[in-house]
Amino acid sequence: MAKRKPVSIRDVARESNASLTTVSLVLNKRDGRISSATRERVLKAVDKLGYVPNRLAQSLQAQKSGFLAILVPELRHVFADPYFGELISAIEEAANEAGYKLLLEVAHKQDIEQKRHVELFQRRFVDGLLCLGSTNRDDFLGDFVGSDNAVIIVNNHLPALSLNSVMCDYRQAGVLAAEHLIDLGHKDIAYIHGAAEVQTASDLRESFEARLASSGIKMPKNHAADGLYTEAGGAAAAAQLLKTNPNITAIMAGNDKMAIGAIAGLKNAGLSVPKDVSVVGCDDLQPSLYSDPPLTTIHTPLDEVGHRACTAVLALFEGKQEHVTETLPVSLTLRNSTCGPRKIR
Amino acid sequence: MAKRKPVSIRDVARESNASLTTVSLVLNKRDGRISSATRERVLKAVDKLGYVPNRLAQSLQAQKSGFLAILVPELRHVFADPYFGELISAIEEAANEAGYKLLLEVAHKQDIEQKRHVELFQRRFVDGLLCLGSTNRDDFLGDFVGSDNAVIIVNNHLPALSLNSVMCDYRQAGVLAAEHLIDLGHKDIAYIHGAAEVQTASDLRESFEARLASSGIKMPKNHAADGLYTEAGGAAAAAQLLKTNPNITAIMAGNDKMAIGAIAGLKNAGLSVPKDVSVVGCDDLQPSLYSDPPLTTIHTPLDEVGHRACTAVLALFEGKQEHVTETLPVSLTLRNSTCGPRKIR
DNA sequence: ACGGACAGATAAATCCTTTTACTTCCTAGA
DNA sequence: TCTAGGAAGTAAAAGGATTTATCTGTCCGT
């Protein structure tokens, strides 16, 4: 149990009667000019002592840490949310392939006030930063505009700031959802939205309403309710919408969580989904498969978003790219929470 | 956009006409012997140049990185699993409070074969390691036994290895679940288990069966099926159990995921939950609240497990503690997936 | 016998910070 | 006048690795 002190390159040099330089060259395979006899000696010593280079020292010297940070908003149990989880999983895969490690960073209010996020770079903590769940109110992101830090907004974009981003096409998502409901024959449609300060949430809603409008379907103000991005919020919103507008035959929700909540709310009110009211979600996360009924939803390729975002942030860091804005297409996943409208009266 | 090179303590020293030592002392508040005039000069320079100490250099010198690693198994979308997510959220909170950062580490086969997990310590990457989702087959964990590395098994324990651990009392969980079903009057009970190589899964099952047995209820071999720790597996297992034993009136599942899958499987077979068959889960994660019906389950205090595990691993690192084995009590969360047995025949 | 070329190896600088062990310079006491 | 001791500050080492520039020595050609 004794804290035995770690082996350094110095020890290897001593053990093998070579210089630090020689050992380093051998270990980094830049040993074109090292005789194979010396190489052997060095390697034997490395093996005998169980030497492994100190990563901190390497990073210090190389001026790069090999870390990428993932910044997530400060929400209760944020990592338990499959939306973030799926993105993180995808990012991890890509990072691992590229030999990078992932650092978790939660945007605690304090940290942001003290500009800790900028320090991440200044202090050489990380080589790049991936921002998940950003909102238009996160003005600390402005600190990165025009800086040479490798920062990317994942699955969102901030119109006010010119920042790099990789995201799904939420405008297309709105159109697809709207067309699906139109095709089924719905005319009385309600909307449960997430936070307005999330740009993609606005994109989704706007394009959804626009597409309905272009087919002559209007959505009055009271056909929309805030679902707070949670199941409970979705349930409450559904209940409220139902009370105000008993005639609605379909509900579109800004994400799967709210859609699942809405289904619970509707059932609670004695209605059947989809017979009485159809429900469409957005994201196509795992839970939508096991909701009852399984959720018809817009599939957003989060896996690919995560992968590309990670690749992009590395490209930025390495200076291979100056600016990134990618938008990936989405699709409709048909399950059982939608059908034609019930006959009213 | 130009890569302006970072400010170092040297620049501050030059700017303020002081020595490196002086600057360092001022910044670390060890400035008992520095005149306030000098202090002011230094601070002004720090401010003017926007100096922030390089974390890598600090870590190198302090011989501690300030990082803790979270090791998770290599499963598809592992971070999207609320079980891991909830633990990670809890650990993050505790780590943040203690001023530590979290590093994500996936136990890729390759890495394990190459003993990369040990390197995490040798290379001074991390000060401590928290292992989630470990199994009895993870014999690489043996490399940590008797080492002075701060390692902790989170919400599990490995009887073959004497490693530190913090976990829930899964034996108690089994007893509580069994007693609940016994109290309701069930006699024909089936079990959907997770992987046998997860020790807590075995604990749960053994204690569940033992408690049933002590009330004279036997569970024949064919009353148990493997749910693969997934919803799909749970659904398949339920279907199979039903086919072999049409008389079962209750199913206990090793975790919520499989329970939710089982409910889907039962509904699929035309049965109603809980009227025809009661279902009990284990974990009490978010989805169990929004399943239909909401799931009766064993509440495991994962939040507290995460917190304590993090605190413990820090105590180990700082040498304040030599060994840790904590077991936290669980409780029954009553929802609507259980009721008395239906009348058979 | 001598200059050039090349192989093999290394000293020293660098990355940045903290800390130990001095060095100065004063002042107060004897 | 001299000295002990405190105040203010600093040089240098340590922490561990990489890389540049340099140095030896050998061999070849002339």
Side-chain angles (χ1 to χ4, degrees), chain B residues 79-97:
Chain B
F79 296 109
D81 185 326
Y83 170 78
F84 292 109
E86 207 161 295
L87 284 174
I88 293 175
S89 281
I91 294 169
E92 194 283 330
E93 261 183 55
N96 185 259
E97 272 169 36

PDB file of all heavy atoms in Angstrom, chain B residues 79-97:
ATOM      1  N   PHE B  79     -24.258   6.181 -22.334  1.00  0.00           N
ATOM      2  CA  PHE B  79     -24.566   7.407 -21.596  1.00  0.00           C
ATOM      3  C   PHE B  79     -26.039   7.788 -21.701  1.00  0.00           C
ATOM      4  O   PHE B  79     -26.524   8.625 -20.955  1.00  0.00           O
ATOM      5  CB  PHE B  79     -23.678   8.550 -22.067  1.00  0.00           C
ATOM      6  CG  PHE B  79     -22.233   8.310 -21.775  1.00  0.00           C
ATOM      7  CD1 PHE B  79     -21.342   8.034 -22.797  1.00  0.00           C
ATOM      8  CD2 PHE B  79     -21.773   8.319 -20.468  1.00  0.00           C
ATOM      9  CE1 PHE B  79     -20.011   7.780 -22.520  1.00  0.00           C
ATOM     10  CE2 PHE B  79     -20.447   8.068 -20.177  1.00  0.00           C
ATOM     11  CZ  PHE B  79     -19.561   7.788 -21.217  1.00  0.00           C
ATOM     12  N   ALA B  80     -26.730   7.176 -22.643  1.00  0.00           N
ATOM     13  CA  ALA B  80     -28.151   7.471 -22.772  1.00  0.00           C
ATOM     14  C   ALA B  80     -28.977   6.637 -21.804  1.00  0.00           C
ATOM     15  O   ALA B  80     -30.187   6.783 -21.718  1.00  0.00           O
ATOM     16  CB  ALA B  80     -28.606   7.222 -24.206  1.00  0.00           C
ATOM     17  N   ASP B  81     -28.316   5.762 -21.068  1.00  0.00           N
ATOM     18  CA  ASP B  81     -29.027   4.950 -20.097  1.00  0.00           C
ATOM     19  C   ASP B  81     -29.194   5.737 -18.802  1.00  0.00           C
ATOM     20  O   ASP B  81     -28.214   6.137 -18.183  1.00  0.00           O
ATOM     21  CB  ASP B  81     -28.211   3.677 -19.842  1.00  0.00           C
ATOM     22  CG  ASP B  81     -28.941   2.700 -18.931  1.00  0.00           C
ATOM     23  OD1 ASP B  81     -29.666   3.153 -18.033  1.00  0.00           O
ATOM     24  OD2 ASP B  81     -28.777   1.488 -19.133  1.00  0.00           O
ATOM     25  N   PRO B  82     -30.453   5.957 -18.388  1.00  0.00           N
ATOM     26  CA  PRO B  82     -30.668   6.795 -17.199  1.00  0.00           C
ATOM     27  C   PRO B  82     -30.028   6.228 -15.939  1.00  0.00           C
ATOM     28  O   PRO B  82     -29.736   6.983 -15.029  1.00  0.00           O
ATOM     29  CB  PRO B  82     -32.194   6.846 -17.057  1.00  0.00           C
ATOM     30  CG  PRO B  82     -32.767   6.034 -18.141  1.00  0.00           C
ATOM     31  CD  PRO B  82     -31.695   5.545 -19.028  1.00  0.00           C
ATOM     32  N   TYR B  83     -29.799   4.929 -15.911  1.00  0.00           N
ATOM     33  CA  TYR B  83     -29.138   4.364 -14.733  1.00  0.00           C
ATOM     34  C   TYR B  83     -27.738   4.961 -14.588  1.00  0.00           C
ATOM     35  O   TYR B  83     -27.378   5.503 -13.546  1.00  0.00           O
ATOM     36  CB  TYR B  83     -29.059   2.837 -14.849  1.00  0.00           C
ATOM     37  CG  TYR B  83     -28.181   2.207 -13.802  1.00  0.00           C
ATOM     38  CD1 TYR B  83     -28.638   2.044 -12.502  1.00  0.00           C
ATOM     39  CD2 TYR B  83     -26.880   1.815 -14.096  1.00  0.00           C
ATOM     40  CE1 TYR B  83     -27.823   1.488 -11.528  1.00  0.00           C
ATOM     41  CE2 TYR B  83     -26.059   1.254 -13.137  1.00  0.00           C
ATOM     42  CZ  TYR B  83     -26.537   1.095 -11.855  1.00  0.00           C
ATOM     43  OH  TYR B  83     -25.719   0.548 -10.896  1.00  0.00           O
ATOM     44  N   PHE B  84     -26.971   4.884 -15.655  1.00  0.00           N
ATOM     45  CA  PHE B  84     -25.636   5.460 -15.605  1.00  0.00           C
ATOM     46  C   PHE B  84     -25.708   6.981 -15.484  1.00  0.00           C
ATOM     47  O   PHE B  84     -24.948   7.605 -14.768  1.00  0.00           O
ATOM     48  CB  PHE B  84     -24.827   5.048 -16.831  1.00  0.00           C
ATOM     49  CG  PHE B  84     -24.510   3.588 -16.855  1.00  0.00           C
ATOM     50  CD1 PHE B  84     -25.122   2.747 -17.761  1.00  0.00           C
ATOM     51  CD2 PHE B  84     -23.619   3.048 -15.949  1.00  0.00           C
ATOM     52  CE1 PHE B  84     -24.849   1.381 -17.768  1.00  0.00           C
ATOM     53  CE2 PHE B  84     -23.325   1.689 -15.938  1.00  0.00           C
ATOM     54  CZ  PHE B  84     -23.949   0.852 -16.852  1.00  0.00           C
ATOM     55  N   GLY B  85     -26.669   7.541 -16.207  1.00  0.00           N
ATOM     56  CA  GLY B  85     -26.801   8.990 -16.198  1.00  0.00           C
ATOM     57  C   GLY B  85     -27.063   9.540 -14.810  1.00  0.00           C
ATOM     58  O   GLY B  85     -26.484  10.555 -14.416  1.00  0.00           O
ATOM     59  N   GLU B  86     -27.910   8.856 -14.081  1.00  0.00           N
ATOM     60  CA  GLU B  86     -28.219   9.385 -12.757  1.00  0.00           C
ATOM     61  C   GLU B  86     -27.002   9.293 -11.838  1.00  0.00           C
ATOM     62  O   GLU B  86     -26.705  10.222 -11.083  1.00  0.00           O
ATOM     63  CB  GLU B  86     -29.407   8.614 -12.168  1.00  0.00           C
ATOM     64  CG  GLU B  86     -30.175   9.455 -11.176  1.00  0.00           C
ATOM     65  CD  GLU B  86     -31.575   8.925 -10.915  1.00  0.00           C
ATOM     66  OE1 GLU B  86     -32.397   8.924 -11.862  1.00  0.00           O
ATOM     67  OE2 GLU B  86     -31.824   8.522  -9.782  1.00  0.00           O
ATOM     68  N   LEU B  87     -26.295   8.194 -11.941  1.00  0.00           N
ATOM     69  CA  LEU B  87     -25.074   8.074 -11.141  1.00  0.00           C
ATOM     70  C   LEU B  87     -24.072   9.159 -11.526  1.00  0.00           C
ATOM     71  O   LEU B  87     -23.467   9.809 -10.669  1.00  0.00           O
ATOM     72  CB  LEU B  87     -24.446   6.690 -11.333  1.00  0.00           C
ATOM     73  CG  LEU B  87     -25.127   5.533 -10.600  1.00  0.00           C
ATOM     74  CD1 LEU B  87     -24.502   4.206 -11.002  1.00  0.00           C
ATOM     75  CD2 LEU B  87     -25.022   5.722  -9.087  1.00  0.00           C
ATOM     76  N   ILE B  88     -23.921   9.348 -12.815  1.00  0.00           N
ATOM     77  CA  ILE B  88     -22.948  10.341 -13.274  1.00  0.00           C
ATOM     78  C   ILE B  88     -23.334  11.737 -12.796  1.00  0.00           C
ATOM     79  O   ILE B  88     -22.491  12.508 -12.337  1.00  0.00           O
ATOM     80  CB  ILE B  88     -22.815  10.301 -14.810  1.00  0.00           C
ATOM     81  CG1 ILE B  88     -22.175   8.980 -15.241  1.00  0.00           C
ATOM     82  CG2 ILE B  88     -21.986  11.480 -15.312  1.00  0.00           C
ATOM     83  CD1 ILE B  88     -22.102   8.767 -16.731  1.00  0.00           C
ATOM     84  N   SER B  89     -24.622  12.048 -12.880  1.00  0.00           N
ATOM     85  CA  SER B  89     -25.063  13.356 -12.404  1.00  0.00           C
ATOM     86  C   SER B  89     -24.714  13.552 -10.940  1.00  0.00           C
ATOM     87  O   SER B  89     -24.221  14.610 -10.533  1.00  0.00           O
ATOM     88  CB  SER B  89     -26.577  13.509 -12.595  1.00  0.00           C
ATOM     89  OG  SER B  89     -26.877  13.832 -13.930  1.00  0.00           O
ATOM     90  N   ALA B  90     -24.967  12.532 -10.158  1.00  0.00           N
ATOM     91  CA  ALA B  90     -24.687  12.646  -8.726  1.00  0.00           C
ATOM     92  C   ALA B  90     -23.190  12.801  -8.482  1.00  0.00           C
ATOM     93  O   ALA B  90     -22.749  13.627  -7.677  1.00  0.00           O
ATOM     94  CB  ALA B  90     -25.225  11.421  -7.994  1.00  0.00           C
ATOM     95  N   ILE B  91     -22.413  12.011  -9.184  1.00  0.00           N
ATOM     96  CA  ILE B  91     -20.962  12.079  -9.005  1.00  0.00           C
ATOM     97  C   ILE B  91     -20.451  13.460  -9.415  1.00  0.00           C
ATOM     98  O   ILE B  91     -19.621  14.061  -8.739  1.00  0.00           O
ATOM     99  CB  ILE B  91     -20.266  10.978  -9.844  1.00  0.00           C
ATOM    100  CG1 ILE B  91     -20.641   9.595  -9.299  1.00  0.00           C
ATOM    101  CG2 ILE B  91     -18.761  11.173  -9.827  1.00  0.00           C
ATOM    102  CD1 ILE B  91     -20.228   8.444 -10.198  1.00  0.00           C
ATOM    103  N   GLU B  92     -20.998  13.952 -10.504  1.00  0.00           N
ATOM    104  CA  GLU B  92     -20.553  15.262 -10.979  1.00  0.00           C
ATOM    105  C   GLU B  92     -20.780  16.326  -9.911  1.00  0.00           C
ATOM    106  O   GLU B  92     -19.898  17.150  -9.644  1.00  0.00           O
ATOM    107  CB  GLU B  92     -21.302  15.645 -12.262  1.00  0.00           C
ATOM    108  CG  GLU B  92     -20.698  16.818 -13.022  1.00  0.00           C
ATOM    109  CD  GLU B  92     -20.995  18.178 -12.406  1.00  0.00           C
ATOM    110  OE1 GLU B  92     -22.059  18.344 -11.778  1.00  0.00           O
ATOM    111  OE2 GLU B  92     -20.155  19.093 -12.522  1.00  0.00           O
ATOM    112  N   GLU B  93     -21.949  16.294  -9.313  1.00  0.00           N
ATOM    113  CA  GLU B  93     -22.239  17.290  -8.277  1.00  0.00           C
ATOM    114  C   GLU B  93     -21.211  17.253  -7.160  1.00  0.00           C
ATOM    115  O   GLU B  93     -20.656  18.284  -6.760  1.00  0.00           O
ATOM    116  CB  GLU B  93     -23.612  16.992  -7.661  1.00  0.00           C
ATOM    117  CG  GLU B  93     -24.720  17.841  -8.203  1.00  0.00           C
ATOM    118  CD  GLU B  93     -26.027  17.520  -7.479  1.00  0.00           C
ATOM    119  OE1 GLU B  93     -26.058  17.600  -6.241  1.00  0.00           O
ATOM    120  OE2 GLU B  93     -26.998  17.160  -8.171  1.00  0.00           O
ATOM    121  N   ALA B  94     -20.976  16.058  -6.678  1.00  0.00           N
ATOM    122  CA  ALA B  94     -20.041  15.925  -5.564  1.00  0.00           C
ATOM    123  C   ALA B  94     -18.636  16.338  -5.993  1.00  0.00           C
ATOM    124  O   ALA B  94     -17.920  17.019  -5.253  1.00  0.00           O
ATOM    125  CB  ALA B  94     -20.040  14.490  -5.055  1.00  0.00           C
ATOM    126  N   ALA B  95     -18.248  15.941  -7.191  1.00  0.00           N
ATOM    127  CA  ALA B  95     -16.906  16.270  -7.676  1.00  0.00           C
ATOM    128  C   ALA B  95     -16.766  17.775  -7.815  1.00  0.00           C
ATOM    129  O   ALA B  95     -15.761  18.367  -7.413  1.00  0.00           O
ATOM    130  CB  ALA B  95     -16.651  15.580  -9.013  1.00  0.00           C
ATOM    131  N   ASN B  96     -17.778  18.386  -8.363  1.00  0.00           N
ATOM    132  CA  ASN B  96     -17.744  19.830  -8.547  1.00  0.00           C
ATOM    133  C   ASN B  96     -17.573  20.557  -7.217  1.00  0.00           C
ATOM    134  O   ASN B  96     -16.767  21.482  -7.101  1.00  0.00           O
ATOM    135  CB  ASN B  96     -19.017  20.283  -9.246  1.00  0.00           C
ATOM    136  CG  ASN B  96     -18.979  21.757  -9.583  1.00  0.00           C
ATOM    137  OD1 ASN B  96     -19.572  22.574  -8.893  1.00  0.00           O
ATOM    138  ND2 ASN B  96     -18.247  22.122 -10.620  1.00  0.00           N
ATOM    139  N   GLU B  97     -18.315  20.106  -6.234  1.00  0.00           N
ATOM    140  CA  GLU B  97     -18.205  20.734  -4.911  1.00  0.00           C
ATOM    141  C   GLU B  97     -16.785  20.634  -4.373  1.00  0.00           C
ATOM    142  O   GLU B  97     -16.295  21.538  -3.707  1.00  0.00           O
ATOM    143  CB  GLU B  97     -19.142  20.038  -3.925  1.00  0.00           C
ATOM    144  CG  GLU B  97     -20.542  20.624  -3.899  1.00  0.00           C
ATOM    145  CD  GLU B  97     -21.482  19.733  -3.110  1.00  0.00           C
ATOM    146  OE1 GLU B  97     -21.038  19.146  -2.098  1.00  0.00           O
ATOM    147  OE2 GLU B  97     -22.652  19.608  -3.515  1.00  0.00           O
TER     148      GLU B  97
END
